Amino acid sequence: TRYPASFDVSGTLRDQTQDSRWGRYVSDLLRAGPNVAKGGVDMGDHPPITPCRHARTGELSGDMARVYDLVTRHFIASVSHDAVWRSTTISLFIEDLDDKGRFTIRGKQLVTPGFLAIMMHRQYGDEGEEGNRGGVEDEEEKALPEFKEGDRYGMFFSASKKSDKVSVTPA
């Protein structure tokens, strides 16, 4: 999101520092320095939607409170730092199984939450199935165990017959 040069990003953030929902996050963001976009195009038709002022908890209700929460969180996220993930992919091939012996496991782990800290304020499953998009599930965050090149692991096949060990090798 690109804000006009005349828009006071830091001042708008400062207005939110006393809020019990995101005040601590905003204070930390101000200390680190907001991540204001340098690129993008200002179409000139209207500035991005931002909170005009701080609304105390309980000051708004119903749809007004939900819209204010959405607008404020989106504004804060838009000037927050990027989320950083560590992704790992491990591929195994068991020669004895030919084409059926190819296996891949993937994992990801959140290293730095960045803007997700303000946008992902609800845990999965809160507020019913509202976030489920037609049966499409979000990728789940799971860390993989540590694997090192050359590690060997026992593999089991049907009838509990133990096979040779499998080695981890570079892809």
Side-chain angles (χ1 to χ4, degrees):
T1 303
R2 180 155 184 204
Y3 294 95
S6 60
F7 183 73
D8 184 8
V9 170
S10 293
T12 304
L13 284 171
R14 269 191 301 281
D15 289 345
Q16 300 298 327
T17 58
Q18 299 307 310
D19 195 281
S20 62
R21 295 162 289 188
W22 47 69
R24 177 177 287 161
Y25 177 87
V26 172
S27 293
D28 292 345
L29 178 60
L30 283 166
R31 272 191 292 285
N35 185 24
V36 180
K38 308 267 187 285
V41 177
D42 181 357
M43 299 304 286
D45 53 350
H46 66 82
I49 298 171
T50 59
C52 295
R53 66 174 182 84
H54 175 251
R56 294 178 313 277
T57 304
E59 183 178 343
L60 303 172
S61 62
D63 287 343
M64 290 189 323
R66 285 188 286 280
V67 168
Y68 178 80
D69 186 87
L70 175 71
V71 166
T72 304
R73 286 181 188 277
H74 187 272
F75 163 68
I76 296 167
S78 74
V79 294
S80 293
H81 298 276
D82 294 338
V84 177
W85 294 86
R86 178 180 302 117
S87 297
T88 305
T89 301
I90 297 172
S91 298
L92 300 171
F93 177 65
I94 302 171
E95 289 180 18
D96 292 346
L97 297 177
D98 297 319
D99 287 341
K100 293 182 181 182
R102 295 187 188 278
F103 301 93
T104 302
I105 184 171
R106 291 181 178 88
K108 68 177 187 174
Q109 186 174 16
L110 187 60
V111 176
T112 306
F115 73 95
L116 291 176
I118 195 71
M119 292 303 289
M120 302 299 287
H121 58 287
R122 293 187 186 101
Q123 294 297 317
Y124 292 107
D126 286 356
E127 296 188 348
E129 297 298 314
E130 190 174 88
N132 193 341
R133 297 180 311 273
V136 176
E137 292 183 23
D138 288 337
E139 186 177 335
E140 191 174 336
E141 176 187 344
K142 289 188 177 179
L144 293 178
E146 288 293 321
F147 289 96
K148 294 181 185 69
E149 185 177 339
D151 284 352
R152 297 179 66 81
Y153 300 91
M155 300 296 289
F156 292 86
F157 293 99
S158 61
S160 296
K161 178 184 169 193
K162 189 172 180 182
S163 78
D164 292 329
K165 296 199 179 272
V166 176
S167 294
V168 177
T169 59

